[in-house]
Each structure stands twice: as structure tokens, then as C-alpha cells.
Amino acid sequence: MDRKIDYRQAAKELKSLADTFELANGVKIPALGFGTWLMPNDELGVAAVKEALALGYRHIDTAAAYQNEAAVGQAIKESGLAREEIFVTTKLANPEHGYHETKQAFAESLAKLGLDYLDLYLIHWPNPLKFRASWAEKNRESWRAFEELYQAGKIRAIGVSNFREHHLEALAESWEIKPQVNQIHICPGNLPQAQIEYCQAAGILLESYSPLGRGKIFEQAELVDLAKSLGRTVAQVVLRWHLQKGFLALPKSVTPAYIKENAEIFDFSLTAEEMQIIDHLEEGCCGLPKDPDQVDF
């Protein structure tokens, strides 16, 4: 049975990169992930993922739309780690919504990754341009395929990405299994409170992609000053903020020093006052998210 979990409270118990959140279905998910958006599907991408795994990351997030699943799979293969030690997420591409299309897309992603099961599979966007007139129906069809793959043991957890409240409510009309995850754009200056509260009340874990604001946070004087006062980097302070908010952040880098730096957030904490400084940064300072009902892809 699904359980509601207070992820902000759970975050207080996290002490290392090896620690996990527990999803509503009982599956454990490493509390800091390694994102791969814009990572190349070549030797550089393989090297970056291998570096992350060597440093102790155990959660790798990719997507069919990133076109780098093969590089991620190759890195996992070359890492020397047992499959069950690594939590792997990928996502359904926008043109593949629909029951049969989802089944086929899942099989193709699994083949590219070189895996025989996924830890987490997400619907990447709720309202792709191709299905604008029938997005709710197509999401229901895809979700039925997700549920069947989950029940067959091919996926350990299922969820969505970029879903706002009305998208979740439409999906709830037919789901048998509630999404365990919603991956959305959260960063300082972009706290979609209604969306966050909806998911928290439903026991859905929020994952934050582009948690460092695509670089814009490094220009914020308040964050620069706060990081200096703590003897930390801006990236570490912001990732620690995500963690203490109960969000699972997915920072991405291909630079070994930054990959290491991003993981070093478990040996300090932010005070309530410091959290408030970040909470109240100017709206849009990290770049506002795309409206999923208006995307042109």
C-alpha cells in the first residue's frame, strides 16, 4: 500500500551520498542523483557517468529525449558495479505517448541502456505538441502501459515529469497506481508552491532538475555572500537547500571537480534563516520553467 512520506523530515536523516529516500511503494532511491541532460552520447558522456559512479553516486537520470542512453548504459557496464547497486531513471519521449507506443519506447530505452529492468520510468512531458488535442487520453494510455510494466517487474517505480496539478488530476481519473515521483524544475527563485504542496500532500517525491538554475545562481549576490560565510561553494549551498526542502536534486556536470563538489553536501546544514534567504530570492533568478501546456515539442 502507498504511504505518505514527509520528505523534508526524512532529509534530516541523510548523512552521505549512499543514503536514500523511500518512495511511497517502499522502493529506496538515492537522495542525490546525477543528471545527464545535454550530456553527449560519446566518450565524454561515458567518462562523466563513470566518474560519478566512482565518486559514490548511485542514481543516474537520463531520458530518451537526451539521446544519451547508450552512453549511460556503457558507463554502467564499465563501472564494475553490480546492477542492483545503481538506480537508473529514464523517460518516455514526447512523440511516443500511447499504450503500444509506450511499450515499444520502453523496450528501445532498455536496449540502449543494456539493462533488463528500470528503477524508475517517467512520462517526460504531460502535453506534447503532437498530442495537444488529446493529451489527457494519451497520458492515460501511456500510464496503463507503465502500470503493466511495473506489475510485471520490469520497472521498480513509476512517475511523471513536468506535471502540474491539472495534469495529475486528469491522470488520477484512471490510474490504479499513483505516481511515486514528479520531476520538475525547482531552483532558487522558482518555487512553484501550489505544485509542490499538491505533490507533498499526495506523498509524491519531488525531484528537481536543473537544480543549479542552468548557471544563473552563480550570479546572485545573496548566494555568493552566503556561500562565502559558510566556507562552501554556491553550488553546494543550493544543493543543500534542495535537500533540506525534501527535494531530490539532479545536478549535472562533465567536469570531475564539479561532480565531486556537488556531492559534498552531507556534512553541513543551513539554518532556518539561511533557508529563508534562499526561499525569498527574486522570482526567475534561476530561469523560469517552460509551461508544459505551451511547449513546442
Side-chain angles (χ1 to χ4, degrees):
M1 179 180 291
D2 284 352
R3 294 165 293 117
K4 290 185 180 180
I5 298 170
D6 183 342
Y7 288 108
R8 182 177 291 194
Q9 183 64 34
K12 295 178 180 179
E13 305 301 319
L14 302 173
K15 304 299 182 185
S16 76
L17 194 55
D19 288 343
T20 59
F21 285 124
E22 187 171 317
L23 298 175
N25 66 344
V27 167
K28 293 183 178 180
I29 181 171
L32 183 72
F34 185 70
T36 64
W37 181 53
L38 298 180
M39 188 171 292
N41 193 42
D42 58 16
E43 293 84 356
L44 180 62
V46 172
V49 176
K50 284 177 66 177
E51 180 69 17
L53 291 170
L55 286 168
Y57 288 83
R58 291 296 180 266
H59 178 178
I60 309 297
D61 180 274
T62 184
Y66 299 171
Q67 298 184 14
N68 60 16
E69 289 172 316
V72 169
Q74 187 64 28
I76 291 170
K77 181 180 179 181
E78 294 179 9
S79 72
L81 294 167
R83 169 66 185 95
E84 59 271 18
E85 292 184 50
I86 306 173
F87 192 101
V88 183
T89 301
T90 194
K91 310 176 191 76
L92 177 70
N94 285 1
E96 310 305 327
H97 286 209
Y99 176 79
H100 296 292
E101 294 87 347
T102 295
K103 289 286 188 78
Q104 181 62 33
F106 171 80
E108 291 175 1
S109 284
L110 216 55
K112 288 176 182 177
L113 287 161
L115 304 177
D116 56 8
Y117 71 92
L118 279 178
D119 296 284
L120 177 63
Y121 198 35
L122 306 177
I123 298 179
H124 204 157
W125 287 88
N127 192 354
L129 183 62
K130 181 177 178 181
F131 303 111
R132 186 107 329 143
S134 57
W135 63 266
E137 177 186 356
K138 286 297 180 181
N139 283 342
R140 286 193 291 269
E141 292 175 9
S142 288
W143 195 253
R144 181 160 61 91
F146 271 50
E147 290 178 332
E148 289 181 7
L149 291 164
Y150 173 80
Q151 290 165 336
K154 302 298 288 184
I155 311 170
R156 298 177 64 227
I158 52 178
V160 296
S161 182
N162 297 294
F163 273 53
R164 296 186 176 176
E165 303 93 292
H166 63 285
H167 303 124
L168 287 164
E169 288 170 353
L171 192 60
E173 293 177 7
S174 64
W175 73 36
E176 294 182 12
I177 301 168
K178 183 173 61 180
Q180 287 112 26
V181 168
N182 189 9
Q183 184 180 125
I184 63 176
H185 181 42
I186 303 173
C187 60
N190 179 47
L191 270 175
Q193 206 57 45
Q195 194 176 10
I196 289 168
E197 290 175 2
Y198 184 101
C199 290
Q200 288 175 334
I204 298 171
L205 174 66
L206 285 160
E207 293 185 336
S208 45
Y209 69 80
S210 298
L212 301 179
R214 300 165 189 154
K216 292 182 180 293
I217 59 164
F218 301 105
E219 304 166 7
Q220 301 302 311
E222 298 95 332
L223 290 174
V224 172
D225 291 344
L226 181 55
K228 185 176 180 180
S229 72
L230 292 168
R232 296 285 173 166
T233 67
V234 169
Q236 288 171 333
V237 168
V238 170
L239 291 172
R240 182 69 202 183
W241 171 81
H242 280 277
L243 195 66
Q244 289 182 213
K245 299 288 281 186
F247 307 145
L248 193 161
L250 298 162
K252 170 258 179 182
S253 179
V254 296
T255 304
Y258 293 152
I259 296 172
K260 182 175 185 292
E261 173 190 311
N262 291 342
E264 295 172 340
I265 63 169
F266 295 94
D267 60 347
F268 76 104
S269 60
L270 301 173
T271 66
E273 292 76 16
E274 290 163 345
M275 292 290 288
Q276 285 289 312
I277 290 172
I278 304 174
D279 284 351
H280 293 120
L281 285 174
E282 181 181 358
E283 182 179 9
C285 77
C286 77
L288 291 175
K290 294 180 182 293
D291 182 341
D293 294 316
Q294 301 294 327
V295 293
D296 59 357
F297 48 81

